[in-house]
Amino acid sequence: MKSPFNLEQQNNSIESKIVVALERISEAFRVLLWNESKENSLSPIQIQVLIFLRFHSEEKCKVSYLADEFNMTKATISDSVRVLLKKELIQKFDNPNDTRSYLIGLTEQGKLLAEKSSNFTFNIEKPLNSLPEQQKKEILTGLLKVIYQLNQSGIITIQRMCFTCSYYQNENNEHYCKLMRTKLTQKELRVDCPEHELKI
Ligand code: SF4
């Protein structure tokens, strides 16, 4: 198989063009996250941890879960946690379900910073707003399928999306959530659902 970066291959293959386009978009994420980190004298992963803590439930806010979420080692996440504690952006709590680990929460200062920083993707969302509704739905469904396959092949770990959820059903190409007992339209499919239960 030829590389999608080989221009001869790329210009004759829509899949290769999509791969290279995704790579360009991931570069935009990297640059925007880097700018946000620099502005706050933090590293990109420290900003990502703050944003994650702001929008996810307590039981997910611990070192082991964060390590899986960001595909990093526990030692790397622990280093970030140490810096964020020192800067008084987060605090530690006892974990009532496991005395060997602790939970992490944001301080008031951390919450403000996480909320501000969570808008770092604004410039990526802006061009999407101008696309027709049907095109946005197609992009969302296509990306969810790609993420699902990457998860199945072990390249990315934790996913809280409909396609990996035990409450999700697909009948005759219709999406259904057994928890909410409702059909899901294309645009209602979730990428990160708080009620997600991993299908085993
Ligand atoms: S619980 Fe959430 S992730 Fe699961 S099927 Fe329903 S909407 Fe999708």
Side-chain angles (χ1 to χ4, degrees):
M1 196 190 283
K2 281 190 187 159
S3 161
F5 297 105
N6 173 332
L7 298 186
E8 206 181 302
Q9 153 76 18
Q10 190 190 115
N11 292 330
N12 288 304
S13 155
I14 187 160
E15 290 83 1
S16 294
K17 286 179 195 167
I18 294 171
V19 168
V20 173
L22 288 172
E23 193 263 347
R24 293 287 82 206
I25 293 172
S26 81
E27 190 61 18
F29 270 101
R30 198 187 64 75
V31 169
L32 292 170
L33 181 59
W34 180 248
N35 291 344
E36 188 62 35
S37 317
K38 261 198 315 197
E39 201 178 294
N40 295 291
S41 306
L42 292 171
S43 70
I45 184 61
Q46 287 158 8
I47 290 285
Q48 286 176 293
V49 166
L50 290 179
I51 296 172
F52 183 89
L53 296 177
R54 174 65 190 91
F55 298 109
H56 292 87
S57 55
E58 192 181 87
E59 78 279 0
K60 298 185 179 90
C61 297
K62 51 188 181 189
V63 169
S64 54
Y65 197 97
L66 291 167
D68 285 345
E69 174 76 17
F70 295 110
N71 298 290
M72 289 189 169
T73 63
K74 282 191 206 168
T76 307
I77 296 293
S78 297
D79 284 347
S80 291
V81 165
R82 249 191 305 279
V83 173
L84 295 171
L85 279 168
K86 205 165 161 206
K87 293 192 175 230
E88 299 183 351
L89 294 169
I90 60 171
Q91 50 200 326
K92 279 183 182 180
F93 299 101
D94 290 338
N95 184 350
N97 300 319
D98 180 3
T99 49
R100 291 162 306 165
S101 72
Y102 57 88
L103 299 174
I104 309 159
L106 294 168
T107 59
E108 274 311 305
Q109 197 193 339
K111 200 168 154 188
L112 289 174
L113 179 52
E115 277 171 15
K116 182 192 84 64
S117 294
S118 66
N119 290 319
F120 85 91
T121 56
F122 179 71
N123 281 317
I124 297 178
E125 202 168 323
K126 215 160 48 172
L128 288 172
N129 287 335
S130 60
L131 297 179
E133 206 53 27
Q134 187 55 32
Q135 204 168 7
K136 286 190 258 191
K137 289 183 203 166
E138 299 292 342
I139 291 175
L140 174 64
T141 316
L143 287 176
L144 284 173
K145 287 180 181 167
V146 172
I147 296 168
Y148 177 73
Q149 291 300 333
L150 291 172
N151 176 241
Q152 294 300 295
S153 54
I155 294 169
I156 43 175
T157 50
I158 295 183
Q159 292 307 315
R160 294 174 294 272
M161 64 194 308
C162 289
F163 295 168
T164 60
C165 180
S166 59
Y167 296 120
Y168 173 77
Q169 245 178 0
N170 184 324
E171 266 174 35
N172 304 323
N173 227 8
E174 291 209 321
H175 312 288
Y176 186 80
C177 174
K178 287 188 277 178
L179 181 71
M180 295 192 279
R181 296 186 183 160
T182 179
K183 273 188 194 169
L184 300 168
T185 62
Q186 249 178 325
K187 74 173 187 184
E188 285 168 333
L189 286 170
R190 293 184 179 179
V191 184
D192 188 354
C193 174
E195 279 85 35
H196 178 270
E197 282 285 340
L198 187 65
K199 189 163 43 184
I200 302 169

